[in-house]
Amino acid sequence: MNVKLKIPLFYILIASTLFQNCVQKDTTTSSDQIVFEVKADDVIAEIQPTMYGIFFEDINLAADGGLYAELVKNRSFEFHTPLMGWMQPKTDRHSLNRNSGMAAVILSENEPNDHFARINVNSAEGYELINEGFRGMGIRENENYRVYFKARQQTGVTGINFELIDEQDNSIGSTRVALESKEWDDYQSTLKADQTAEKAKLKITFEGNGVVDLDLISLFPQDTWKGREKGLRKDLVQVLADLNPGFLRFPGGCIVEGRTLDKRYQWKKTVGDLEQRTTLINRWNTEFDHRPTPDYYQSFGIGFYEYFQLAEDLDAEPLPILGCGIACQFNTGELVPLDQLDPYVQDALDLIEFANGAVDTEWGALRASMGHPEPFNMKYIGIGNEQWGEVYIERLKIFIDEIKARYPDIIIVSGTGPFPDGEHFEYARQELKSLRTEIVDEHYYRNPQWFLDNADRYDNYDRNSYKIFAGEYAAQSVAIASPDNKNNWECALAEAAFMTGLERNADVVYLTSYAPLMAHADGWQWTPDLIWFNNLNVYKTPNYYVQQLFSVNKGTHLLNTEGSQSIKGENHLYASAVKDSINREIIIKLVNVAGHKQNTSLEITGVALANEAGMIELSSDSMAAENSFENPVNIAPESNTFEVSGNTIPVILSPQSLSVIKVKYQ
Ligand code: AHR
């Protein structure tokens, strides 16, 4: 059954209606001086190192076709249409065997990736097999590329040429590999590109007539993140690193759950030998009729080991989320009966062993064999993504009991479902309070006005309840998952206002992350997204800069700002204040959503201040403004410094701006 992700019309209508009302009314005169009181000697709470993190999901070609630097699509012929992504331009479809040659994909005896290509070359003109890459291949002049493949010589074919061709079919680099074995063997070679191309292809030609079997044909840039062979795209990881994330949540998102149980994400199938990782159709392949992506599959080149490694590289806490025996409830909602949940629970227990276990345990040994004998020191595990109802709570209880019995220190992250309010949300909230789940994931995909209205969401939150993981949020300029949603300044500014509220409640809000994280400009399914990239370039959205400004300025302790006039939207102003006890800095974030300047006065008590302050500002005259490949810094932070005298700092806030004021204290 082909079931689509259905966003109830009700939610879409509410979202669109509220969107109409979200432009701020300009009622404040710029001459009013608005006072922000910051008691620097009154610490409310520690800011958790995990306060601002990242949510990674293989949606929008974020992993295959994105972060994972593999350039060949369908490298082992495992897609449902086994030659998808491969072209045979010289083949005459009406007389396959009688013409220059053909590729047939056949089943081999080798599970689990059980297909390979049998190439039959039978003409002096030669035969070509071309891989189109993920919307082309991004190739850079003077860079080295590594070709890897498996081959078994049957008859006649003595060598293979690998050639990069640009958009006009000109050769921009090549290498030749001689075939040596009648058995399956691994081959590799290097080629250097003499030109840059955004949408290159890999052309494979053959020497001699005869038959050769090919499998796992890969092409990677040599220059990957940390120089790891078959690794990650360096430019994209750098953009993640620049966010200074406190945690990395993976692998999703809905991708965790699967449209059916059978198609759920199973971490054990993503670790160990690359060749043994079974290709799986990506759930976003067919999810939206308006954005079908028939060539979207998961190779699991980035699997759980690579996610843990990435978290470690980013100095971020790993936060894996596992399925809990419920397929996506927007799709089939298939359920594992409670008395058959054991394998699912065992997956969670084994994951903890894989991440943290000694090298003489079964799963710790696998981790060690992959190159990481030291534990990854995983502290958190998420059970279920966007599940709701009794079916979730009763399954979650079983996971909690089993995990806590073996690993009492592991922190369990549960969820309240896809929406931040309503019947399912309220039910989950009540139930979760009585369970041993320390942190609860809430999702807010709402219009910009909702974000402004909810800056005080946690002000009256029950301090004796669980901690909050604002695990997925993004202001939607049109409606949830609408293809017309924009990463515009209006949305980014509303998120900034909301984030001051998260920060002001850092005693209960422990983790936060925007979602989704990444999107390929030619292969996305969901918008808005924090980071947009193509095969060669990447740009940061205004929303990214908002996240970054909060994250790199998160400080260590939340300060008391209660005496302030306008921190929750009064006068269109939102604010929070922290101190960084390591750098001995007071950091104040101010969001002005009004269309005019505002005179403010920051009155910082309890410490002696330095005589210079820094100000970083993100603003735009236009709420509709966006960044783009052509103008990546249309909206980007600008910094300056100014003199300070005493403990009162006058600051003029630009219209529609996020300002971060930083001043050292003695
Ligand atoms: O972020 C995109 C999707 O939104 C996630 O996969 C899911 O958890 C949510 O519905």
Side-chain angles (χ1 to χ4, degrees):
M1 191 170 52
N2 189 20
V3 188
K4 303 289 169 196
L5 178 61
K6 288 193 177 56
I7 308 296
L9 184 61
F10 170 73
Y11 289 105
I12 295 176
L13 289 178
I14 290 204
S16 335
T17 314
L18 290 177
F19 174 67
Q20 308 298 323
N21 301 326
C22 68
V23 177
Q24 289 297 309
K25 299 227 168 48
D26 187 355
T27 54
T28 311
T29 63
S30 57
S31 57
D32 296 340
Q33 198 179 47
I34 297 163
V35 173
F36 288 99
E37 258 185 51
V38 179
K39 293 187 180 144
D41 55 354
D42 187 0
V43 164
I44 307 289
E46 258 183 52
I47 304 278
Q48 299 298 312
T50 51
M51 183 71 188
Y52 301 107
I54 52 181
F55 159 96
F56 187 90
E57 176 168 20
D58 192 5
I59 181 172
N60 305 317
L61 305 194
D64 286 286
L67 204 60
Y68 188 43
E70 170 68 271
L71 293 165
V72 175
K73 182 170 70 186
N74 193 13
R75 62 185 174 191
S76 51
F77 309 97
E78 302 299 326
F79 289 11
H80 291 135
T81 304
L83 278 174
M84 187 178 262
W86 295 92
M87 298 176 278
Q88 310 173 70
K90 284 194 172 175
T91 302
D92 176 350
R93 288 180 171 276
H94 302 291
S95 56
L96 278 176
N97 277 323
R98 281 171 278 118
N99 206 311
S100 56
M102 68 172 291
V105 172
I106 54 180
L107 285 175
S108 80
E109 58 287 355
N110 305 322
E111 294 288 340
N113 285 321
D114 49 9
H115 295 93
F116 63 86
R118 172 152 295 169
I119 313 293
N120 187 341
V121 186
N122 58 13
S123 155
E125 292 159 31
Y127 169 72
E128 293 174 8
L129 192 61
I130 295 178
N131 190 273
E132 65 186 13
F134 299 89
R135 313 296 182 275
M137 300 176 179
I139 300 295
R140 292 175 204 276
E141 184 179 354
N142 289 329
E143 284 208 6
N144 287 331
Y145 292 84
R146 301 284 296 162
V147 177
Y148 305 84
F149 63 101
K150 297 176 94 65
R152 177 169 60 183
Q153 218 179 12
Q154 299 277 1
T155 57
V157 178
T158 52
I160 306 184
N161 296 303
F162 294 88
E163 187 180 14
L164 285 170
I165 52 173
D166 68 9
E167 293 84 344
Q168 288 74 43
D169 290 347
N170 301 313
S171 175
I172 57 170
S174 65
T175 183
R176 173 193 182 271
V177 183
L179 295 180
E180 285 153 4
S181 174
K182 300 252 176 223
E183 304 299 326
W184 279 111
D185 214 346
D186 292 308
Y187 296 84
Q188 50 179 290
S189 184
T190 302
L191 62 84
K192 186 171 186 169
D194 53 32
Q195 218 178 288
T196 293
E198 190 198 323
K199 293 183 187 248
K201 299 187 193 79
L202 179 67
K203 180 159 106 177
I204 305 176
T205 51
F206 302 85
E207 290 171 6
N209 283 351
V211 176
V212 61
D213 295 335
L214 292 178
D215 203 358
L216 259 172
I217 306 170
S218 270
L219 180 73
F220 280 88
Q222 203 162 47
D223 190 18
T224 57
W225 171 253
K226 288 193 179 280
R228 291 197 186 107
E229 199 178 355
K230 302 184 184 176
L232 307 184
R233 231 178 98 170
K234 198 169 132 176
D235 58 337
L236 296 185
V237 184
Q238 188 57 55
V239 173
L240 302 185
D242 292 345
L243 280 170
N244 192 24
F247 65 89
L248 170 68
R249 167 180 165 163
F250 58 89
C254 292
I255 211 165
V256 167
E257 309 157 15
R259 295 168 61 85
T260 57
L261 285 169
D262 181 43
K263 297 282 186 298
R264 73 190 187 280
Y265 195 106
Q266 297 185 54
W267 75 266
K268 287 177 178 167
K269 295 187 175 183
T270 75
V271 293
D273 188 356
L274 211 56
E275 291 177 31
Q276 301 303 316
R277 303 185 192 179
T278 323
T279 303
L280 181 70
I281 188 168
N282 188 304
R283 65 153 295 129
W284 299 106
N285 180 313
T286 47
E287 195 64 42
F288 294 131
D289 283 339
H290 58 271
R291 298 292 301 176
T293 317
D295 57 344
Y296 203 0
Y297 284 73
Q298 296 178 84
S299 71
F300 297 114
I302 302 182
F304 262 44
Y305 178 85
E306 290 75 19
Y307 282 125
F308 279 114
Q309 194 176 43
L310 177 61
E312 187 172 75
D313 290 350
L314 299 174
D315 199 17
E317 294 292 345
L319 170 44
I321 308 285
L322 297 189
C324 62
I326 309 177
C328 179
Q329 288 165 284
F330 284 116
N331 299 146
T332 62
E334 268 185 89
L335 290 175
V336 177
L338 293 180
D339 60 1
Q340 291 168 35
L341 208 55
D342 276 3
Y344 290 74
V345 175
Q346 195 58 46
D347 273 358
L349 298 172
D350 290 343
L351 178 63
I352 300 169
E353 187 176 289
F354 177 73
N356 297 348
V359 296
D360 58 359
T361 61
E362 180 188 353
W363 293 99
L366 177 62
R367 182 193 71 241
S369 75
M370 294 182 74
H372 204 289
E374 298 305 321
F376 282 116
N377 294 319
M378 171 181 128
K379 300 189 183 82
Y380 306 88
I381 192 166
I383 304 300
N385 174 47
E386 281 185 342
Q387 267 63 61
W388 63 77
E390 207 181 329
V391 291
Y392 175 50
I393 300 297
E394 57 195 11
R395 280 162 185 75
L396 178 66
K397 279 181 185 162
I398 296 173
F399 276 86
I400 293 175
D401 288 347
E402 296 288 332
I403 293 172
K404 288 290 186 189
R406 280 258 318 261
Y407 300 104
D409 294 336
I410 288 286
I411 297 170
I412 296 185
V413 178
S414 59
T416 47
F419 304 117
D421 42 38
E423 186 192 336
H424 292 316
F425 174 82
E426 292 303 337
Y427 168 77
R429 199 149 72 148
Q430 284 313 317
E431 292 292 320
L432 293 172
K433 273 186 189 173
S434 60
L435 299 184
R436 281 182 302 160
T437 167
E438 291 91 340
I439 298 183
V440 173
D441 181 12
E442 297 189 355
H443 294 180
Y444 339 100
Y445 293 100
R446 287 290 191 252
N447 61 63
Q449 186 65 44
W450 184 93
F451 283 85
L452 300 180
D453 293 343
N454 280 271
D456 61 354
R457 181 176 172 91
Y458 297 108
D459 288 3
N460 300 314
Y461 179 81
D462 178 359
R463 265 48 197 173
N464 298 316
S465 187
Y466 49 71
K467 305 298 180 198
I468 296 293
F469 173 21
E472 293 185 32
Y473 68 90
Q476 314 284 298
S477 65
V478 178
I480 302 172
S482 162
D484 299 322
N485 283 330
K486 301 289 180 217
N487 282 100
N488 63 27
W489 182 233
E490 180 182 24
C491 290
L493 193 62
E495 288 153 11
F498 180 69
M499 288 171 79
T500 61
L502 297 178
E503 194 166 273
R504 274 191 303 97
N505 288 283
D507 57 325
V508 291
V509 180
Y510 273 26
L511 306 95
T512 66
S513 47
Y514 183 100
L517 183 67
M518 299 171 74
H520 191 300
D522 299 328
W524 57 273
Q525 297 80 43
W526 180 298
T527 185
D529 303 287
L530 200 64
I531 298 162
W532 286 83
F533 63 94
N534 59 27
N535 291 340
L536 289 177
N537 298 308
V538 53
Y539 76 85
K540 300 166 176 176
T541 59
N543 318 68
Y544 175 99
Y545 287 119
V546 166
Q547 292 291 320
Q548 189 183 38
L549 282 180
F550 275 79
S551 181
V552 302
N553 295 300
K554 66 175 170 288
T556 53
H557 297 87
L558 177 67
L559 298 179
N560 185 337
T561 51
E562 270 169 16
S564 305
Q565 282 176 285
S566 305
I567 50 174
K568 304 178 185 180
E570 309 89 339
N571 301 312
H572 310 305
L573 290 170
Y574 301 80
S576 56
V578 298
K579 77 172 177 184
D580 184 327
S581 60
I582 299 158
N583 294 320
R584 300 188 70 75
E585 250 175 355
I586 307 294
I587 306 172
I588 302 169
K589 301 176 185 94
L590 297 157
V591 177
N592 175 21
V593 298
H596 56 74
K597 288 183 185 173
Q598 304 233 46
N599 287 329
T600 65
S601 174
L602 312 184
E603 298 187 355
I604 303 172
T605 58
V607 288
L609 299 178
N611 53 14
E612 189 181 78
M615 177 161 170
I616 313 166
E617 190 189 84
L618 197 58
S619 69
S620 173
D621 292 344
S622 165
M623 288 297 220
E626 296 174 58
N627 290 344
S628 62
F629 290 108
E630 296 71 32
N631 193 354
V633 290
N634 185 32
I635 301 175
E638 288 179 14
S639 305
N640 62 51
T641 55
F642 57 94
E643 278 182 22
V644 170
S645 152
N647 281 51
T648 299
I649 308 178
V651 174
I652 297 178
L653 301 177
S654 297
Q656 301 167 178
S657 62
L658 160 63
S659 303
V660 181
I661 318 290
K662 300 168 77 166
V663 56
K664 296 256 185 208
Y665 62 87
Q666 276 130 35

